[in-house]
Amino acid sequence: MTDRFTNAAVAPAQASPPRLPPREMPGRQPELSGREKAAAVLVALGVELASRVLRHLTEADIEAVMVEVANAGRFPADIQLSAVREFLETAVAHEYYQQGGLEYARSALEKALGPQRAGDIMQRLLASTQVRPFAFARRSDPSFLAGFLQNEHPQTIALVLAHLLPEQAASILGQLPPEVRTDVARRVALMDRASPEMVREVERVLERKVATNALLEDTRAGGLRALVQILNRVDRATEKSIIETLAARDPDLAEQIKKQLFVFEDIVNLDNRSLQRVLREVDLSRELPLALKVASEELKAKIAQNLSERAAQNLNEDMAFLGPVRLREVEEAQQRIVAIVRRLDEEGEIILSRGGGEDIVV
């Protein structure tokens, strides 16, 4: 759990990770477990920051660390200080590792802190991350990997999937061609172990290929996303004209563009009158709580502000009692609300702000 806790609170890798504080020795500390250290850090962070960290953990991890928080009561100040310092050191080491791998992290830490302290931190980094093969793949987008891997031998694909997180492997497996999918699944099931030398060689070759393909991908221009970004910045009349013409020539493409032109989170940009009009069309007891399951706090607050006090209270209660739901169900609920927004826009009952400038309202 400690590696997920550390990763959850570490910002994306930057050119210059934060400096480590000078190490003070407040006295010999009792040896804490990883969960106890995580609990001590959460207590030291305070409620607001701790809640932001917890959003990135699994339910099992949240339950485990909160049990430690409850059991510990209050951590002494010196225990909190020691846990936070160790956490910060490991977090900085993670950033170095993300930038250039283990050797880069070791060299950077030795230069900053000296060999002995750097060695201690690297030991904690290796223990917390449990560095496994194909780390580059675990940091890559599953859709990109699926498109890249489908041209590889099924045994190679199986080897990669076996080293990924289950949710990543499942996403990639589902995107492979049907004739490849079954063969790969069978090879994963029958796989026992592979020699470290072979795994390292496959990892080295694939990482180089992925890096090359990613570079080529970055140099490409155009595409559906580019068109959507352009249309989001033109006036409504121009957008409507282009969509109608495309619909006559390529209905599927026009529908894909419509779905991406306005996404659920864009509702936060509606003016209050328009949002209130939309909410009159939405099922507030089931559809809205479901759609807001993974929404930003900003959007939740904006919607609550445009409901009556009683309706906002009911919404909060419905969301609290909603329980676990499939992400697909949430996305479908969001799409249905987006469809309402676009219909009302087309009927002229609400105004969608355009990215290219201010709308003229008369």
Side-chain angles (χ1 to χ4, degrees), residues 7-233:
N7 284 323
V10 176
Q14 305 169 358
S16 299
R19 292 184 179 181
L20 291 168
R23 189 171 186 82
E24 301 171 2
M25 300 302 294
R28 183 171 180 81
Q29 303 296 330
E31 188 63 30
L32 301 180
S33 68
R35 290 178 180 178
E36 290 172 329
K37 291 175 183 177
V41 171
L42 285 177
V43 172
L45 289 176
V47 175
E48 180 61 31
L49 287 176
S51 65
R52 291 167 61 182
V53 173
L54 289 174
R55 293 174 198 162
H56 298 275
L57 301 181
T58 66
E59 290 187 9
D61 284 341
I62 293 174
E63 181 179 348
V65 74
M66 294 314 290
V67 166
E68 296 297 338
V69 171
N71 289 339
R74 296 186 62 182
F75 288 97
D78 56 344
I79 295 292
Q80 290 188 40
L81 177 62
S82 177
V84 169
R85 179 177 287 111
E86 181 175 325
F87 172 78
L88 178 58
E89 290 174 346
T90 308
V92 172
H94 266 282
E95 290 197 27
Y96 282 131
Y97 167 64
Q98 292 291 331
Q99 289 182 27
L102 290 175
E103 288 308 312
Y104 175 83
R106 189 186 305 277
S107 298
L109 289 171
E110 286 181 353
K111 184 176 180 181
L113 306 170
Q116 183 173 352
R117 191 172 167 199
D120 294 339
I121 297 173
M122 286 302 297
Q123 283 186 348
R124 292 203 303 269
L125 174 64
L126 291 172
S128 67
T129 57
Q130 297 180 352
V131 178
R132 298 175 59 196
F134 301 102
F136 75 91
R138 291 194 294 278
R139 296 193 299 267
S140 300
D141 179 72
S143 297
F144 171 74
L145 280 177
F148 172 78
L149 287 172
Q150 65 181 353
N151 297 319
E152 297 294 327
H153 190 280
Q155 186 64 30
T156 300
I157 302 175
L159 184 65
V160 175
L161 295 190
H163 287 86
L164 297 181
L165 296 173
E167 53 267 27
Q168 290 177 301
S171 176
I172 293 171
L173 189 64
Q175 297 179 63
L176 294 175
E179 62 274 14
V180 177
R181 191 183 305 159
T182 304
D183 190 11
V184 170
R186 175 179 173 274
R187 290 172 185 268
V188 171
L190 297 177
M191 188 181 300
D192 182 17
R193 64 183 61 188
S195 69
E197 294 76 15
M198 184 190 74
V199 172
R200 280 196 294 268
E201 179 61 20
V202 172
E203 179 184 25
R204 184 184 63 79
V205 172
L206 285 182
E207 185 170 14
R208 187 173 65 247
K209 287 183 179 180
V210 167
T212 302
N213 277 269
L215 182 60
L216 292 174
E217 190 74 22
D218 288 342
T219 62
R220 294 172 184 166
L224 180 61
R225 183 178 179 183
L227 176 59
V228 169
Q229 290 175 338
I230 293 171
L231 291 181
N232 270 327
R233 287 162 173 77

